[in-house]
Amino acid sequence: MMALQVAGGVLPPLPARGGRGRALFRPPRAVASGAAPAAAKEEDGKVALGGSGVAVTKLGIGAWSWGDTTYWNEFQWDDRKLKAAKGAFDASIDCGITFFDTAEVYGAGVSGAINSESLLGRFIKERQQKEEAEVAIATKFAALPWRFGRGSVISALKASLDRLGVSSVELYQLHWPGIWGNEGYLDGLGDAVEQGLVKAVGVSNYSEKRLRDAYERLKKRGIPLASNQVNYSLIYRNPEENGVKAACDELGITLIAYSPIAQGALTGKYTPDNPPKGPRGRIYTPEFLTKLQPLINRIKEIGGNYGRTPTQGNVVPIPGAKNAEQAREFAGALGWSLAASEVEELRSMAREIKPVIGFPVEKL
C-alpha cells in the first residue's frame, strides 16, 4: 500500500506498480522563517512545534473518532470498535508514530459513548505496563459560551489531565475562538505553561487575524504560540487562501492539519454508490463523489511513479485512525513523496473540487 502528502494532506493507500508498495509520503520539513528562526528545527526524525522546543513525530494520529457516536462510527460504540481503536494506538506506537491529538469534547457527553481522552489515557497506561512507551499528547480546551476567563482554562485542563492520567501534556490548544473574546483564554494558556501543566500551547480554527493577536499576546509573556490546527487537505486548501498558512510560516507557528484525507473521501473508499454514512454523507454526497472520482483515479494511475522531492514545511498532518490497518498505512507513508510535477497536477485537478465544509469561525 502507498500514501502521499500533498498540501498538508495525506492521501493513503494507493496501489503500487511492480509488487509490494513503498510509502509515497515524505513528511513535511519545517522551514525556519526570518521572524522565528527556531521554529522549524528537525531532529531525530521529529519536528519542533513552533518555537516551543517541544518535538513530535512528523505525522500524528487524530483521536476524534475514538468513542464518538454522533459524527463517526455509524452512531454506535461497542467492544469491537474499542478494540479497533486500541489496535490503532498500538500499531502507531509500533510504527514510530508517538504524537496523538484528542480533545475534551471528543466522545464526551452527547457526542459519544466514552471520552476520547479517557481512551487515550487507558491505552497509554496499558502499553506502559508492558514496556516503556514515549507518547506526546495534544488535547484541547472547548471555548463553550458559559466558560469565562483564564481560570476556566486551568480548570478544564486539570480535568483533561485527570482523564488522561498524566501530570502534563505536550500541547494544549484552544479548540475554537470564544464568542465573548479570547484574551482570558490566552492568558489561561500562559498560566498553564507557567504552572508546568503543559509544555507548549496552541490554537485551533483561528483565522489569520486571531492567530496574529494570539501570537502577540503570548509573546508579551515570553511564551511562543506553537501551533494552529486547521482543516487542511488536497481538496480543502483554505489555509493557503485565507492567509493562515502564510502567517504560520512568517511567525514560525506549526500548522497542524486535521482531516488531511478529507475524512476518508480521498482514500477511494467512498464512491457515488457508496457514500459515507452519518453527517459526512451530507458533505460527501454522491454528486460530490462523482466529481471527485477523476482525481481519485489519477492518484491511482500515478501511484507508482514517484521520486523524492523537497516538501512544504511547517505542517504536521494528523489523520484519524480507527484501526491498526489504517495506522500502519499512515506510518508507511513516512519518507517519500511524489515528484513535484505530479503534486502540482493533483493540486490543479483538486482546485476544481471544493467540498462545502469548514469551521465558520475561520472567516472571522
Side-chain angles (χ1 to χ4, degrees):
M1 305 300 281
M2 289 185 165
L4 64 107
Q5 185 265 353
V6 184
V10 179
L11 302 186
L14 305 179
R17 297 180 192 172
R20 298 180 66 87
R22 297 165 68 189
L24 280 176
F25 167 68
R26 179 180 174 89
R29 175 172 298 147
V31 179
S33 70
K41 292 182 179 178
E42 183 180 324
E43 298 178 359
D44 300 326
K46 294 184 178 181
V47 62
L49 293 176
S52 68
V54 174
V56 300
T57 48
K58 301 171 189 178
L59 181 71
I61 294 295
W64 179 10
S65 67
W66 295 1
D68 179 85
T69 56
T70 57
Y71 197 85
W72 304 94
N73 300 309
E74 299 178 3
F75 308 108
Q76 60 180 341
W77 184 259
D78 52 29
D79 287 344
R80 182 178 61 84
K81 295 183 185 297
L82 173 61
K83 291 178 181 177
K86 176 64 160 56
F89 173 83
D90 284 330
S92 299
I93 298 294
D94 292 341
C95 294
I97 299 176
T98 60
F99 181 40
F100 294 86
D101 178 85
T102 183
E104 63 174 319
V105 296
Y106 291 168
V110 297
S111 71
I114 182 171
N115 190 282
S116 174
E117 290 178 327
S118 298
L119 288 174
L120 179 57
R122 181 194 306 180
F123 298 160
I124 293 172
K125 182 178 180 180
E126 292 174 353
R127 181 80 181 205
Q128 290 179 338
Q129 288 174 343
K130 300 178 181 178
E131 62 181 354
E132 184 176 350
E134 172 195 358
V135 177
I137 302 172
T139 191
K140 310 182 195 70
F141 166 83
L144 301 169
W146 53 86
R147 284 179 163 172
F148 299 96
R150 63 206 303 169
S152 64
V153 175
I154 298 299
S155 296
L157 172 56
K158 289 181 176 178
S160 288
L161 294 177
D162 184 61
R163 285 187 291 270
L164 288 160
V166 296
S167 59
S168 68
V169 292
E170 278 64 34
L171 178 65
Y172 196 51
Q173 307 152 95
L174 303 181
H175 206 152
W176 59 81
I179 61 175
W180 309 118
N182 298 286
E183 291 80 4
Y185 296 150
L186 292 166
D187 291 341
L189 289 185
D191 295 343
V193 173
E194 292 176 355
Q195 293 179 29
L197 300 175
V198 302
K199 298 179 178 66
V201 292
V203 293
S204 181
N205 299 301
Y206 268 47
S207 65
E208 179 188 359
K209 181 181 185 306
R210 291 184 186 277
L211 181 69
R212 292 183 181 277
D213 289 345
Y215 173 87
E216 292 297 333
R217 191 170 187 89
L218 288 167
K219 183 180 178 181
K220 291 177 181 177
R221 296 177 66 173
I223 298 172
L225 180 63
S227 60
N228 186 18
Q229 184 177 145
V230 294
N231 193 337
Y232 189 28
S233 73
L234 176 62
I235 58 174
Y236 188 80
R237 303 220 293 275
N238 270 26
E240 298 174 12
E241 300 162 0
N242 60 17
V244 165
K245 178 67 168 60
C248 285
D249 291 342
E250 173 193 338
L251 300 174
I253 299 169
T254 297
L255 191 153
I256 298 176
Y258 72 78
S259 296
I261 56 172
Q263 301 179 7
L266 288 173
T267 66
K269 174 181 179 181
Y270 301 112
T271 66
D273 295 327
N274 179 40
K277 298 179 180 178
R280 287 182 297 159
R282 295 195 291 270
I283 300 171
Y284 304 107
T285 63
E287 292 76 18
F288 178 82
L289 292 170
T290 297
K291 292 192 295 183
L292 185 64
Q293 204 59 46
L295 176 61
I296 298 297
N297 291 340
R298 185 56 181 147
I299 289 170
K300 293 178 179 179
E301 287 174 2
I302 65 176
N305 300 326
Y306 60 90
R308 294 174 180 265
T309 93
T311 57
Q312 298 181 28
N314 218 26
V315 177
V316 175
I318 50 168
K322 290 184 178 180
N323 54 53
E325 181 182 2
Q326 291 177 352
R328 283 191 289 266
E329 286 167 357
F330 296 139
L334 292 171
W336 298 82
S337 70
L338 293 179
S341 60
E342 294 167 330
V343 170
E344 182 51 41
E345 179 185 356
L346 295 178
R347 285 168 60 88
S348 178
M349 293 181 68
R351 290 188 186 102
E352 308 302 319
I353 310 163
K354 291 188 177 183
V356 183
I357 56 175
F359 220 96
V361 295
E362 287 180 335
K363 301 179 175 66
L364 301 179

